[in-house]
Amino acid sequence: MTHLFRRTAYKWAGLALTLLIFAAAFAASLAFGQTQIKPGTVWEALFRYDASVQEHVIITTSRLSRALIAAVIGASLAIAGALLQALTKNQLASPSIFGINSGAIFFIVAAAAFFSVSSLIQYMWIAFAGAAAAALMVYALGSTGRGGMSPMKFVLAGAAISALFVSLTQGVLVTSEQSLQSVLFWLAGSVAGRTVEMLLPILPFMAGGWIAAFLLGHSVNILTSGEEVAKGLGQKTLWVKTAMIAVIVLLAGGSVAVGGSIGFVGLVIPHIARGLVGIDYRWIIPYCALLGGSLLLLADVAARFVIMPQEMPIGVMTALIGTPFFIYIARRRSGRI
Amino acid sequence: MSNDIQHKHFTRSEMVSELLRKKALTVIFTLILLSAILFIAGLSAGSTVLNPLDVVKHLTGAGSGEHNFVIHTLRLPRMLLAMLAGAALGVAGLIMQGVVRNPLGSPDIIGVTGGASFAAVFFLTRLAGSVSIKWLPIAAIVGAAAVSALIYALAWRKGVTPVRLVLVGIGLSACTGALTTMMIVLNDEYSTTRAYLWMTGSVYGAKWSDVYSLLPWVALLVPLSLLFAKSANVLETGDETAAGLGVRIQLHRIGMLTISVALAGAAVAFAGGIGFVGLIAPHIARKLVGRAFGYLVPVSALIGSMMVALADVVARTAFLPLDIPAGVFVSGIGAPFFIYLLYRSRHQ
């Protein structure tokens, strides 16, 4: 595979550049919106806060938490996507395509409707359970049957499982109408209207997931060079795979608990990261984190402008960006599937 | 079919196909009988439970007319609409699975239904005030056709392979799904709930006019699909074999896809997004009568119609006074069953 940064020095420079892009995207997310705020004012709001200035209040009460949440979710989904693509050896894998997002969503909606769960920390555990259920179902469906594990089977199994959970979710929502309105916007995927307090309880889990993903990098490299090779090198492949699934479930489930259904980040970003740094997952993971965060920040900024004065759900935004990408890869790769 | 290829074993293959024919006819007959029982039982069940004998009397015109409203106005059109939609979805799924050569490739999985839903929700939320609701089915069918054409065009690269068709379809269905959600989210409460209920799939409030509008689609397209029986049997063996046997692959594929899309679009238009029927009905049909397309069409239609009808009867009676959309029930039962089927096929 050809990639852009071949020397280690270039990779470090690229990482610095990506960090710069991420910072710019973060700043843009703070500055642009219904009320345009000057960069200087943004700086002041962060470091010389003055509660009497309206723009400062906008930034600290709504924009900052929104940007933080977008960055965390974007990074998590991108890393989850990278691990999923490595695990299933499938270029088209991502948490949304594989039904992991819809699994988490169904569990949350069902819990909200039937057991009146409302605290976010409970949502998070329920989302983990849903993500895990969907991931295991898809993995089992995709790797069994004639011909063993095939990318095509994985995508179809994911689509089937996701169709299952989507219709079950619709069923729950239709029977309890009052909950429909309150969860619809969340369902569509959104990072708006959430406070930093909602993110804090989940953040340790997410950060743990990022670190675990990075530490797994070397094992993932060995695993992707082939099951036989990995076993020959003395790797306990079952353990590595289990750890990868656990990290995927943690990151994808946590993202859904905070932001609802946001697709395609986990599909697009790993491809870009591989295009930049090649197949070394110790590099891919940090690149994915920064690029994923940047993508979701920018998508969120764009979502504020597309249909002004209303806001587009960010999940729709990422789907619009991601679909052409998915189809491009499907057209290019399907010869080999 | 088999006698064309295997001249040497003429008598033996003739015997086999005769056996198959007998088996298929027995299956079809049994299914018709079961459908009839379900039909009567479904018309009897509900918040007012009727005596099945009275229902039969009413249907044959010998009734006293006291249940006229319940049977004729409320239950009969709903039952018929469920059965027609189910038959359409079953056959649509069968054809699609044949075209993409994969048991998971049904219209709802590869995005055709998503296109129909998108168009219908657009209609319900944006146009319903200014345009008559009668045009909703047309909108859904146009949506299904447009998305299918887009899938086919995007999957085209010196011809279309089943793999690309499925993958592009799944990608597009994620996109139409997101857009549909957006239209629902950005709308006022009333049309939101209505559109959402429609999306879930329900034959609630079915009218005779709906039945009469869906009937021609099913009555015309299901027999028409039998014309493709021969090429469907050959296409299933793979592109190379099919081309070698002289089947004009792309042409037949487009023909079969058109029928499948029209059936799925029509069913979705009148009954909403009922999923999994197109996935499961052909599966069961294949278990019952083997792989001959000519038998699979009627059996898939019968099983599909029984699935939706049964789901609707259970959904409207089991949780009285709640009337749960049939689509929820179909996927609630259908999806685990489907997973079981996949699991079974692995051990054979």
Side-chain angles (χ1 to χ4, degrees):
Chain A
M1 187 189 266
T2 52
H3 53 271
L4 202 59
F5 305 141
R6 290 177 182 246
R7 283 199 227 142
T8 312
Y10 292 168
K11 287 177 184 167
W12 280 111
L15 197 64
L17 190 70
T18 334
L19 191 64
L20 219 61
I21 295 173
F22 176 77
F26 200 92
S29 173
L30 294 180
F32 298 123
Q34 291 246 345
T35 323
Q36 307 280 359
I37 300 172
K38 290 194 200 81
T41 322
V42 172
W43 185 263
E44 279 172 19
L46 292 180
F47 298 104
R48 284 199 301 275
Y49 181 65
D50 180 358
S52 64
V53 182
Q54 195 197 356
E55 276 120 353
H56 287 196
V57 178
I58 291 178
I59 285 182
T60 50
T61 54
S62 87
R63 296 238 176 118
L64 187 60
S65 52
R66 190 170 172 166
L68 282 172
I69 287 169
V72 168
I73 293 179
S76 302
L77 286 174
I79 294 175
L83 288 181
L84 202 56
Q85 289 178 7
L87 180 70
T88 59
K89 300 181 179 64
N90 186 342
Q91 306 261 354
L92 294 168
S94 84
S96 55
I97 294 288
F98 272 25
I100 294 177
N101 285 3
S102 10
I105 284 174
F106 168 66
F107 271 53
I108 290 184
V109 168
F114 297 132
F115 306 110
S116 49
V117 175
S118 57
S119 93
L120 192 71
I121 198 87
Q122 283 169 313
Y123 272 164
M124 184 188 72
W125 287 108
I126 293 163
F128 287 160
L136 290 177
M137 281 160 89
V138 172
Y139 196 77
L141 279 181
S143 53
T144 57
R146 270 175 297 165
M149 193 159 100
S150 93
M152 169 80 162
K153 259 198 323 214
F154 260 117
V155 175
L156 273 171
I161 294 297
S162 137
L164 161 68
F165 282 121
V166 166
S167 50
L168 289 179
T169 308
Q170 287 175 346
V172 173
L173 288 178
V174 165
T175 45
S176 61
E177 257 176 48
Q178 70 276 20
S179 58
L180 176 62
Q181 287 299 326
S182 56
V183 294
L184 254 184
F185 205 81
W186 172 81
L187 266 185
S190 171
V191 290
R194 288 153 172 77
T195 58
V196 185
E197 284 75 44
M198 291 170 77
L199 182 65
L200 287 180
I202 291 180
L203 199 55
F205 292 91
M206 303 291 236
W210 301 339
I211 294 166
F214 183 70
L215 294 178
L216 275 171
H218 186 61
S219 312
V220 175
N221 286 343
I222 296 174
L223 188 69
T224 47
S225 59
E227 187 101 17
E228 300 302 315
V229 180
K231 280 190 177 140
L233 287 171
Q235 186 183 61
K236 292 192 171 63
T237 49
L238 186 66
W239 280 110
V240 175
K241 286 181 181 172
T242 313
M244 285 165 81
I245 292 181
V247 173
I248 292 165
V249 164
L250 195 70
L251 292 176
S255 301
V256 171
V258 182
S261 171
I262 297 175
F264 287 104
V265 180
L267 172 79
V268 177
I269 295 299
H271 279 272
I272 298 177
R274 273 197 301 270
L276 292 175
V277 296
I279 51 168
D280 186 345
Y281 276 82
R282 284 168 300 180
W283 283 102
I284 290 176
I285 300 293
Y287 268 79
C288 275
L290 289 173
L291 290 171
S294 312
L295 176 73
L296 210 54
L297 283 166
L298 293 176
D300 182 40
V301 173
R304 299 171 202 172
F305 290 97
V306 179
I307 44 167
M308 266 195 144
Q310 279 178 306
E311 265 188 26
M312 203 179 223
I314 193 172
V316 178
M317 208 57 220
T318 55
L320 292 181
I321 300 169
T323 305
F325 195 86
F326 181 93
I327 290 170
Y328 167 71
I329 300 171
R331 280 174 60 91
R332 205 178 44 151
R333 296 284 161 186
S334 54
R336 281 190 234 161
I337 287 174
Chain B
M1 238 255 13
S2 51
N3 355 11
D4 292 348
I5 298 169
Q6 298 180 313
H7 287 289
K8 285 175 196 164
H9 308 288
F10 188 77
T11 42
R12 194 171 160 242
S13 67
E14 206 177 44
M15 211 167 70
V16 171
S17 77
E18 178 62 23
L19 273 175
L20 274 177
R21 199 171 66 90
K22 265 189 181 160
K23 191 184 167 198
L25 288 180
T26 319
V27 168
I28 292 172
F29 181 73
T30 317
L31 286 174
I32 291 175
L33 205 68
L34 285 174
S35 302
I37 294 170
L38 175 65
F39 189 72
I40 305 294
L43 291 180
S44 318
S47 49
T48 328
V49 181
L50 304 175
N51 184 342
L53 280 177
D54 289 346
V55 174
V56 177
K57 270 186 197 157
H58 175 93
L59 291 175
T60 52
S64 56
E66 63 170 317
H67 303 306
N68 207 11
F69 178 72
V70 174
I71 296 180
H72 193 262
T73 313
L74 292 181
R75 292 187 191 165
L76 200 51
R78 187 167 174 166
M79 195 69 180
L80 288 171
L81 192 67
M83 286 189 144
L84 284 173
L89 288 170
V91 176
L94 173 73
I95 300 174
M96 194 70 88
Q97 290 180 5
V99 170
V100 304
R101 282 208 304 276
N102 192 302
L104 287 167
S106 77
D108 44 332
I109 300 292
I110 80 159
V112 176
T113 318
S117 291
F118 173 71
V121 170
F122 183 79
F123 185 90
L124 283 173
T125 54
R126 294 293 150 96
L127 304 175
S130 47
V131 184
S132 161
I133 192 79
K134 275 184 192 150
W135 294 97
L136 175 67
I138 304 295
I141 292 169
V142 168
V147 167
S148 312
L150 195 60
I151 294 172
Y152 208 85
L154 287 171
W156 185 277
R157 201 172 149 186
K158 296 181 199 150
V160 165
T161 65
V163 177
R164 271 207 302 276
L165 209 59
V166 170
L167 293 178
V168 169
I170 287 175
L172 271 185
S173 85
C175 187
T176 50
L179 288 172
T180 309
T181 317
M182 179 186 78
M183 278 187 302
I184 288 185
V185 168
L186 298 179
N187 245 277
D188 64 279
E189 200 156 323
Y190 171 69
S191 53
T192 297
T193 315
R194 208 163 73 138
Y196 211 81
L197 184 66
W198 181 87
M199 265 170 66
T200 316
S202 171
V203 283
Y204 176 81
K207 293 186 291 291
W208 278 103
S209 60
D210 299 336
V211 177
Y212 292 137
S213 315
L214 181 56
L215 185 64
W217 293 94
V218 179
L220 208 70
L221 291 172
V222 172
L224 197 63
S225 70
L226 285 170
L227 288 181
F228 287 92
K230 195 168 179 183
S231 47
N233 286 332
V234 181
L235 267 180
E236 204 189 16
T237 57
D239 282 9
E240 287 79 17
T241 327
L245 288 171
V247 174
R248 294 165 75 187
I249 303 165
Q250 299 296 348
L251 204 68
H252 285 246
R253 199 172 267 156
I254 291 179
M256 289 167 71
L257 270 180
T258 310
I259 294 180
S260 173
V261 166
L263 278 172
V268 169
F270 292 98
I274 295 181
F276 283 97
V277 176
L279 206 60
I280 295 170
H283 257 276
I284 302 178
R286 268 192 292 269
K287 290 260 185 279
L288 290 175
V289 294
R291 313 199 72 85
F293 193 78
Y295 301 136
L296 283 173
V297 170
V299 175
S300 301
L302 282 167
I303 291 176
S305 72
M306 283 172 69
M307 275 177 71
V308 179
L310 182 66
D312 186 50
V313 171
V314 175
R316 73 179 155 87
T317 51
F319 302 96
L320 285 170
L322 277 181
D323 194 334
I324 293 175
V328 177
F329 236 83
V330 175
S331 42
I333 299 168
F337 183 70
F338 176 69
I339 290 166
Y340 164 76
L341 280 181
L342 282 181
Y343 180 78
R344 275 265 318 258
S345 67
R346 167 195 163 202
H347 289 285
Q348 277 173 357

